[in-house]
């Protein structure tokens, strides 16, 4: 019976590792971005409630935002949300960007937008890992 439980534990580990790896990579990537980013306040110019299909597996809801960088230069960028935003034109949003490429690197500056995906993947991976340990302890 213990070999069946141990094989279940190994299967749970195989499921947990990709979640932890992708979540960890996203966490490190976001941490690097936040550490080197400049902050700015942008103004929503337009917000769409219809997805534009920019990505093959993801329908993005574009939001056009203007902001000024730390040098005072004005920029306009389009950021995509996973769901329609309820922000009206004229709404102020916090942005983060890299000084070397403000338009190409601009991202929303709120914690949910920055850390939500990687945190969720790490949490799911941790749950699978917890299940692996529980299964392992039952088998031994």
């Amino acid at each position: 019976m213990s070999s069946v439980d141990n094989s279940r534990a190994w299967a749970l580990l195989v499921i947990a590792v990709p979640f932890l790896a992708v979540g960890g990579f996203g966490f490190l990537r976001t941490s690097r971005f936040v550490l080197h980013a400049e902050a700015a306040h942008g103004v929503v110019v337009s917000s769409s409630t219809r997805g534009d299909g920019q990505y093959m597996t993801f329908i993005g809801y574009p939001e056009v935002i203007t902001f000024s960088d730390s040098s005072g230069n004005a920029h306009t960028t389009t950021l995509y949300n996973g769901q329609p935003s309820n922000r009206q034109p004229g709404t102020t949003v916090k942005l983060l960007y890299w000084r070397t490429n403000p338009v190409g690197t601009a991202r929303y500056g709120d914690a949910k937008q920055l850390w939500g995906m990687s945190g969720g993947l790490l949490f799911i991976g941790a749950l699978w890992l917890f299940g692996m340990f529980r299964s392992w302890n039952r088998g031994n």
Side-chain angles (χ1 to χ4, degrees), residues 13-111:
L13 179 64
V14 167
I15 294 170
V17 167
F19 281 99
L20 293 170
V22 173
F25 176 76
F27 182 83
L28 292 174
R29 186 171 178 248
T30 301
S31 297
R32 180 176 165 254
F33 174 76
V34 170
L35 287 173
H36 300 290
E38 301 272 334
H41 289 285
V43 177
V44 176
V45 175
S46 68
S47 181
S48 176
T49 57
R50 293 186 54 183
D52 71 351
Q54 177 194 11
Y55 303 104
M56 296 288 288
T57 59
F58 171 74
I59 296 177
Y61 296 90
E63 200 165 63
V64 178
I65 299 171
T66 61
F67 67 99
S68 295
D69 63 17
S70 58
S71 302
N73 299 321
H75 302 282
T76 301
T77 188
T78 303
L79 300 178
Y80 288 84
N81 295 307
Q83 56 192 358
S85 171
N86 60 355
R87 293 186 196 97
Q88 299 297 318
T91 304
T92 301
V93 294
K94 182 179 178 186
L95 298 176
L96 296 176
Y97 65 93
W98 278 355
R99 184 180 291 173
T100 56
N101 183 9
V103 173
T105 60
R107 293 168 72 180
Y108 292 107
D110 66 344

Side-chain angles (χ1 to χ4, degrees), residues 102-123:
V103 173
T105 60
R107 293 168 72 180
Y108 292 107
D110 66 344
K112 183 176 119 182
Q113 292 279 347
L114 288 170
W115 304 102
M117 179 66 77
S118 59
L121 291 172
L122 285 171
F123 180 74

